Amino acid sequence: REKEDKYKTWMPRFLMAKEDKQRRKSNDDVERKIFKVRKSSIEKSKMEQEEKIFRETFMYDKEIKVINTATAKCSVPSKRRADLPLTAGEQLDVIDVTEGSAVICRNSEGRFGYVLVEDLNFR
């Protein structure tokens, strides 16, 4: 048997026995789960980086708390770097209220910026 395993010839996947296919599929599933963990850690680091940029840009030293959630009424491109571009129907977390008619919001990607109250629907 050892000799048979040692000198096993290469066979395409479609000619392999069903048992071998099942075993190989289970190994592929394990590898895929590892990659999913890495994706989430990449997304987490991206969110942390966005938060760092937000704190530097807005000079925001308070704790980031979600006051309310809102949806965007219409699509609005950003005019300044501090503005948050909107797409219609997008869910936003309201972080802080400013003196004017704008609020500081965070979108699903983790980006922060000013949004006019007129462009938002509150629940």
Side-chain angles (χ1 to χ4, degrees):
R1 286 189 177 188
E2 291 177 10
K3 288 182 181 180
E4 290 176 11
D5 290 339
K6 209 176 210 181
Y7 300 107
K8 200 172 194 180
T9 58
W10 179 83
M11 292 175 58
R13 279 192 172 182
F14 62 88
L15 294 177
M16 293 174 70
K18 286 185 178 181
E19 297 164 359
D20 292 339
K21 284 184 181 180
Q22 293 296 329
R23 186 175 44 197
R24 192 168 256 173
K25 280 183 184 178
S26 66
N27 290 341
D28 290 344
D29 290 342
V30 170
E31 290 176 18
R32 288 186 184 132
K33 287 179 184 175
I34 292 169
F35 291 122
K36 286 182 183 175
V37 171
R38 289 183 182 169
K39 279 184 181 178
S40 66
S41 64
I42 290 170
E43 290 173 3
K44 191 174 184 179
S45 66
K46 199 174 194 180
M47 295 281 265
E48 289 172 356
Q49 186 178 14
E50 288 289 341
E51 183 180 332
K52 183 180 175 185
I53 292 169
F54 162 70
R55 288 188 182 279
E56 290 172 359
T57 305
F58 290 82
M59 291 180 266
Y60 196 83
D61 57 348
K62 301 177 196 173
E63 183 182 347
I64 296 176
K65 289 184 181 179
V66 178
I67 298 170
N68 202 344
T69 56
T71 55
K73 287 182 184 177
C74 57
S75 297
V76 179
S78 63
K79 297 173 185 169
R80 304 176 299 166
R81 183 179 176 208
D83 292 340
L84 185 65
L86 299 176
T87 54
E90 183 179 15
Q91 292 282 335
L92 300 170
D93 296 331
V94 178
I95 304 298
D96 202 358
V97 180
T98 60
E99 292 177 11
S101 63
V103 291
I104 298 175
C105 292
R106 176 178 59 194
N107 65 6
S108 60
E109 297 171 3
R111 293 188 61 201
F112 294 87
Y114 289 116
V115 179
L116 294 174
V117 176
E118 298 91 45
D119 297 334
L120 297 176
N121 276 336
F122 292 95
R123 295 182 188 189

